[in-house]
């Protein structure tokens, strides 16, 4: 029987691949930085990270029960999405369970700022949103299926409910369905993946992409993997795919412009 993935949804602080990403981010950003172009001021990235951090400090001052309910209301958990609260796909990226640690916050700001300087605010936001929403929906689909199937009950196994949950290595489905699931890590992973896929130099691009994917796959293969680990890998893959699409599209446009220029010179 295949091992059931343990269910853990907390994304308030970086876990799994996010632990390895801050160390890898500076190398990716240096390789992805545009050459010979004036850097735009990444106002949107600074505004977002600053707002998330200020909101985290404000949320931390709330009474425990009120804080938990606020975070649960804005979580992309099974209960909210199954009930059609699709706005949580956006609001969950604004809340975190705890203030961002300085290294992680700096890495997040550096990644988003580099993406904004290179692609513009709207495209950078689109990559972040696609990774965040896409990975959240994939995790939701997997968790909803797991919740629908449920853990073996005491009546079907002859064991106590606690023993049944222990045997499946999962939390009770009702607890999972209402879990707190907020944070910026999915969008962060997608942005770094897209930056790696748009590095100009072929060798550096291949090395950066392979290294990040290895960081993403490693926690998924370990024994204590969680659905959040799968979400981080999914966001990374989404980012790499988007970055590859942008790079190919840019190359095609550049080629078309060169052919147009050559044709104009021939006519003259």
């Amino acid at each position: 029987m295949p091992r059931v993935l343990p269910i853990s949804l907390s994304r308030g602080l970086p876990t799994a691949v996010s632990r390895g990403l801050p160390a890898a981010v500076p190398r990716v950003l240096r390789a992805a930085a545009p050459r010979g172009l004036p850097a735009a001021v990444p106002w949107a990235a600074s505004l977002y990270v600053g707002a998330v951090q200020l909101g985290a400090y404000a949320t931390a001052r709330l009474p425990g029960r009120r804080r938990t309910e606020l975070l649960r209301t804005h979580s992309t958990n099974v209960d909210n999405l199954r009930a059609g609260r699709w706005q949580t796909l956006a609001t969950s990226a604004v809340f975190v369970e705890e203030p961002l640690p300085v290294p992680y916050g700096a890495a997040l700001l550096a990644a988003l700022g580099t993406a904004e300087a290179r692609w513009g605010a709207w495209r950078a936001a689109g990559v972040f949103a696609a990774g965040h929403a896409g990975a959240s929906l994939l995790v939701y689909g997997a968790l909803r299926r797991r919740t629908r199937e449920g853990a073996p009950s005491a009546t079907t196994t002859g064991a106590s409910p606690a023993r049944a949950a222990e045997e499946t290595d999962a939390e009770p489905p009702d607890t999972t369905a209402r879990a707190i699931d907020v944070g910026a890590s999915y969008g962060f992973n997608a942005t770094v993946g897209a930056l790696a896929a748009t590095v100009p130099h072929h060798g550096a691009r291949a090395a950066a992409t392979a290294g990040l994917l290895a960081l993403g796959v490693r926690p998924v293969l370990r024994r204590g993997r969680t659905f959040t680990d799968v979400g981080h890998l999914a966001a990374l893959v989404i980012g790499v795919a988007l970055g590859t699409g942008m790079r190919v599209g840019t190359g095609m446009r550049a080629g078309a412009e060169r052919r147009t220029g050559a044709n104009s010179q021939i006519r003259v």
Side-chain angles (χ1 to χ4, degrees), residues 61-198:
R61 297 176 64 88
L62 295 174
R65 178 174 297 180
R66 184 178 175 187
R67 174 178 171 273
T68 298
E69 287 306 314
L70 175 66
L71 294 176
R72 183 171 287 133
T73 298
H74 294 283
S75 294
T76 51
N77 55 33
V78 174
D79 270 7
N80 282 338
L81 294 180
R82 184 167 49 193
R85 302 184 188 102
W86 302 108
Q87 70 275 11
T88 59
L89 290 172
T91 59
S92 60
V94 181
F95 289 88
V96 291
E97 291 189 65
E98 299 177 15
L100 301 176
V102 173
Y104 183 72
L108 177 63
L109 179 59
L112 299 185
T114 301
E116 183 181 350
R118 187 168 192 192
W119 308 325
W122 286 108
R123 183 171 291 185
V127 170
F128 182 95
H132 177 81
S136 295
L137 288 173
L138 288 172
V139 170
Y140 162 65
L143 288 178
R144 183 167 183 180
R145 179 180 177 182
R146 176 71 186 94
T147 303
R148 188 184 301 116
E149 292 173 355
S153 64
T155 57
T156 59
T157 63
S160 66
R163 177 63 179 168
E166 180 181 348
E167 289 177 353
T168 59
D169 200 15
E171 299 176 8
D174 57 338
T175 302
T176 302
R178 301 187 67 245
I180 293 175
D181 186 18
V182 295
S185 61
Y186 289 169
F188 174 54
N189 277 260
T191 300
V192 174
L195 285 170
T198 53

